[in-house]
Amino acid sequence: MIEYKGKKVVIIGLGLTGLSCVKFFLKKGVIPRVIDTRLCPPQLKQLPKNVEFHLGEFNTDWLFQADLIITSPGIDLSCQELQQALNKGIEILGDIELFCRELTVPIIAITGSNGKSTVTVLIKEMAKAAGYQVGVGGNIGFPVLDLLNEPIKQLYILEVSSFQLEVTNSLRANVATILNVSENHLNRYPLGINQYRNVKMRIYQNALIYVINKDDPSIIPENSNNQNSISFGINKGDYHLVNNKDEIYIKNIYYDQNFNIENIKITGQHNYINILAALALAGAIGLPYNSSLETLCSFKGLKHRFQLITEHKGIKWINDSKSTNIKSTEAALFSLNSSLKFKGTIWLLLGGDGKNADFSSLRRYVINKNIRFFCFGKDGKKIASMNPEISTYTKTMQQAVMQIASLVKTNDTVLLSPACASLDQFDNFEHRGNIFIKLVKKIINE
């Protein structure tokens, strides 16, 4: 553990992560200062009264006097003030780094553009079923530093974002994985997907075992080999899928028996890949395979992830609000085509903050397919202009849902899979998904 007493600490950002950092340093005998460029940060009322704060802009005097700066994930390190601090030799860290400095307990670290939370929760349930005392935190919504307030666990599972990896140096995961990398957060990574991918690759630094995605060679570490890695993939890898007489099975090369995916409650190829990744992680830490398969059979998936809200009058309403990038929306559309075998029209709700993404890849889904786009929010007009013949723009998601409700017919599917961040009109993707669920329930009860 590192001694922080006597250090001048500045914490930037007063959300859940920032508040957890404040509490961490107070327990270490350090009273930090807090900066938030917002005028009304969400956790201001919970800030202890002996902690100074500065709102609405950066306080450069505080920054440049600091020995240590702690940034929340939403803070862009490329901003001028933080670059000046770095040039002065001031250390800038994040909460994952602080957490890792405190622990000697095994860690599973998970990152990726899509599927992180599903895989994190799955491996947690598998470990618990095998008798482990497990702590879970990070990007999944529970600040990791708050885990230090609980009794020490036997295993920690961390969902880690690229933003968190930017300010993490001491992560030495027993098992680490990058599930996938697709175009995302390009407003934060101006050099493009390669810059974003390189940040993700930091999760493998000092890891003992790599769990690698065989379907994407660009995210496989150069030093990976049969001794330090376990792999998964659709058709290749230690854990993969096999098709036998039109039935799909999970194949584990270390285990003779194949497992029919008909036994699993969640559907869609993207979820099958998440399952393969979770099984590979479970295998990497030595969990019993049969126990992990039993966990799969009872797992119902996570809310806001390709969640079937209801099927009413032959119309399916699906909440996939967690799809905050294009690749995730493409996965949802692929799953509709391959799993639900719909016959009607897909009414796709798109919109929000597109983070400078290129939506042109969605064009291939309109060729010879009965699909309509309803686009809303900050980038709604931009998305709608891509396919104006099949697109409708509304200012809000609520307006789009009400219009769709008057048009849908039996065998149609309404899919909220926005391909965008939610913060232009909602608190977060959960808020967006919950509003959608309420609207759907109101429609079917009228």
Side-chain angles (χ1 to χ4, degrees):
M1 296 184 185
I2 291 180
E3 179 61 56
Y4 296 101
K5 277 189 178 179
K7 298 274 189 181
K8 296 179 181 177
V9 176
V10 172
I11 295 168
I12 304 178
L14 193 51
L16 289 174
T17 299
L19 186 63
S20 72
C21 294
V22 170
K23 294 176 179 177
F24 171 83
F25 280 105
L26 289 176
K27 285 189 175 182
K28 294 289 186 181
V30 175
I31 301 177
R33 288 169 160 175
V34 176
I35 297 172
D36 199 302
T37 56
R38 297 167 291 187
L39 291 173
C40 298
Q43 303 300 317
L44 183 60
K45 290 183 179 179
Q46 281 69 49
L47 190 67
K49 299 200 181 296
N50 61 336
V51 177
E52 290 184 275
F53 60 89
H54 183 94
L55 304 178
E57 61 183 357
F58 283 105
N59 184 325
T60 52
D61 288 339
W62 285 8
L63 286 179
F64 300 155
Q65 292 169 13
D67 300 309
L68 181 62
I69 296 172
I70 309 299
T71 65
S72 295
I75 307 300
D76 191 343
L77 289 182
S78 67
C79 73
Q80 180 180 352
E81 292 84 355
L82 291 184
Q83 287 299 307
Q84 289 175 340
L86 283 170
N87 290 336
K88 291 178 180 292
I90 300 170
E91 192 174 22
I92 299 180
L93 305 174
D95 66 323
I96 300 289
E97 172 66 19
L98 296 175
F99 180 78
C100 291
R101 290 177 171 187
E102 299 292 306
L103 280 191
T104 57
V105 177
I107 291 174
I108 295 176
I110 300 166
T111 194
S113 299
N114 298 304
K116 295 188 295 295
S117 295
T118 296
V119 173
T120 298
V121 173
L122 249 179
I123 187 62
K124 176 195 78 171
E125 295 300 325
M126 290 173 179
K128 285 175 62 179
Y132 279 78
Q133 294 178 343
V134 185
V136 176
N139 190 59
I140 198 167
F142 190 85
V144 292
L145 291 175
D146 287 351
L147 292 173
L148 299 176
N149 302 325
E150 301 177 354
I152 295 295
K153 310 297 184 183
Q154 295 170 293
L155 175 69
Y156 287 93
I157 304 169
L158 306 185
E159 178 186 318
V160 191
S161 71
S162 59
F163 299 163
Q164 291 169 318
L165 285 168
E166 289 177 13
V167 283
T168 299
N169 304 311
S170 298
L171 175 59
R172 291 173 175 81
N174 291 66
V175 183
T177 189
I178 302 175
L179 300 174
N180 47 63
V181 168
S182 60
E183 191 176 86
N184 198 12
H185 300 302
L186 296 191
N187 54 340
R188 179 86 166 236
Y189 300 108
L191 300 181
I193 193 168
N194 287 335
Q195 182 185 15
Y196 173 55
R197 182 186 295 111
N198 289 338
V199 174
K200 290 285 192 189
M201 295 295 287
R202 288 171 62 91
I203 202 167
Y204 286 132
Q205 291 178 5
N206 305 309
L208 296 180
I209 301 174
Y210 311 146
V211 170
I212 57 176
N213 183 348
K214 279 283 191 176
D215 294 327
D216 188 350
S218 71
I219 54 173
I220 298 177
E222 291 182 0
N223 64 333
S224 65
N225 54 57
N226 292 333
Q227 283 70 47
N228 67 6
S229 67
I230 294 176
S231 61
F232 67 93
I234 298 173
N235 301 310
K236 54 188 174 182
D238 300 328
Y239 296 80
H240 62 271
L241 302 178
V242 293
N243 194 317
N244 185 6
K245 297 180 181 178
D246 293 328
E247 291 193 323
I248 301 174
Y249 295 85
I250 293 172
K251 174 69 175 177
N252 172 359
I253 67 167
Y254 308 106
Y255 194 79
D256 290 336
Q257 184 179 349
N258 291 342
F259 181 77
N260 195 322
I261 62 168
E262 290 296 324
N263 297 311
I264 300 170
K265 291 182 171 63
I266 57 176
T267 62
Q269 182 166 284
H270 63 300
N271 274 322
Y272 301 151
I273 297 169
N274 291 336
I275 286 168
L276 294 170
L279 288 172
L281 289 165
I285 60 171
L287 299 186
Y289 189 54
N290 282 329
S291 172
S292 296
L293 292 179
E294 288 177 10
T295 300
L296 279 183
C297 293
S298 61
F299 184 69
K300 296 180 180 179
L302 304 184
K303 195 174 179 182
H304 310 299
R305 282 102 169 152
F306 204 67
Q307 173 196 9
L308 179 63
I309 300 169
T310 187
E311 184 171 352
H312 181 68
K313 295 182 179 180
I315 302 163
K316 295 182 178 71
W317 298 80
I318 298 176
N319 168 27
D320 194 37
S321 181
K322 184 61 172 69
S323 285
T324 56
N325 57 61
I326 296 166
K327 197 72 176 178
S328 185
T329 298
E330 289 180 352
L333 289 170
F334 182 86
S335 293
L336 277 176
N337 282 309
S338 61
S339 299
L340 298 183
K341 299 178 182 178
F342 61 88
K343 298 178 182 178
T345 298
I346 299 174
W347 303 83
L348 177 61
L349 287 151
L350 293 164
D353 181 358
K355 300 171 287 186
N356 297 336
D358 179 3
F359 288 85
S360 60
S361 62
L362 291 177
R363 287 193 179 119
R364 62 193 174 105
Y365 288 94
V366 306
I367 300 173
N368 300 321
K369 290 185 175 67
N370 201 359
I371 188 168
R372 290 284 306 275
F373 291 175
F374 270 71
C375 310
F376 61 90
K378 177 182 175 182
D379 287 327
K381 284 185 179 179
K382 172 186 173 183
I383 301 169
S385 66
M386 181 182 65
N387 290 291
E389 293 181 3
I390 61 149
S391 299
T392 300
Y393 167 73
T394 62
K395 185 176 180 181
T396 68
M397 180 187 74
Q398 291 89 325
Q399 292 169 339
V401 171
M402 298 314 294
Q403 285 194 36
I404 291 172
S406 66
L407 298 169
V408 287
K409 299 177 182 178
T410 300
N411 295 322
D412 286 357
T413 299
V414 183
L415 172 64
L416 171 66
S417 190
C420 294
S422 58
L423 298 180
D424 60 324
Q425 294 185 336
F426 302 94
D427 295 339
N428 45 48
F429 74 84
E430 293 99 335
H431 182 212
R432 178 171 62 189
N434 288 331
I435 293 294
F436 180 66
I437 292 170
K438 287 181 181 179
L439 288 169
V440 172
K441 289 181 177 178
K442 180 180 178 182
I443 289 165
I444 65 174
N445 289 325
E446 287 181 348

